């Protein structure tokens, strides 16, 4: 496992309940500011294996990026269960819900 992948996994595992981070934010913290697409791939391939809170990751516009309807609705449900206000179109307020770790 590459150091970048390891760091991405660690960052995602540290997102607190009721908060979100963006793909790009995670990539930057892991050392590759342009690596948002890599974060998507890591999340897709490793969520089950490492028990990642995949539902706490959104795009830079504060939107649920998943297009597959069932998974999209599941992400909205999980976030709402944690108290995050998500509009029916999958939009949320990053200013309110974004997790900013110490040192970012």
């Amino acid at each position: 496992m590459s150091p970048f992948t390891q760091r991405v996994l660690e960052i995602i595992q540290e997102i607190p309940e009721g908060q979100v981070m963006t793909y790009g934010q995670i990539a930057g913290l892991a050392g590759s500011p342009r690596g948002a697409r890599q974060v998507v791939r890591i999340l897709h391939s490793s969520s089950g294996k490492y028990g990642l809170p995949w539902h706490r990751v959104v795009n830079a516009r504060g939107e649920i990026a998943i297009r597959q309807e069932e998974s999209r609705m599941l992400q909205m449900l999980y976030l709402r269960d944690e108290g995050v206000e998500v509009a029916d179109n999958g939009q949320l307020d990053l200013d309110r819900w974004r997790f900013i770790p110490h040192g970012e």
Side-chain angles (χ1 to χ4, degrees):
M1 178 179 307
S2 76
F4 175 77
T5 299
Q6 180 63 42
R7 186 68 187 122
V8 166
L9 296 175
E10 291 168 0
I11 292 166
I12 294 170
Q13 289 170 332
E14 293 170 3
I15 303 171
E17 184 175 315
Q19 293 188 284
V20 299
M21 291 181 79
T22 68
Y23 299 102
Q25 181 185 10
I26 294 165
L29 285 171
S32 182
R34 295 174 163 242
R37 288 182 190 261
Q38 288 176 277
V39 173
V40 172
R41 284 191 286 274
I42 293 166
L43 201 53
H44 180 73
S45 65
S46 301
S47 288
K49 182 176 181 179
Y50 295 102
L52 300 176
W54 60 271
H55 61 283
R56 297 181 188 146
V57 184
V58 297
N59 70 21
R61 294 181 302 275
E63 301 167 340
I64 291 176
I66 298 171
R67 296 291 163 227
Q68 196 275 334
E69 190 66 25
E70 186 176 334
S71 296
R72 180 180 178 78
M73 297 306 282
L74 192 58
Q75 184 173 10
M76 290 171 62
L77 176 68
Y78 287 168
L79 287 172
R80 288 174 177 164
D81 283 350
E82 293 182 1
V84 177
E85 294 173 9
V86 183
D88 290 339
N89 67 357
Q91 183 76 45
L92 57 92
D93 182 357
L94 280 178
D95 290 335
R96 181 171 181 191
W97 303 109
R98 183 195 311 247
F99 175 60
I100 301 176
H102 300 299
E104 183 183 0

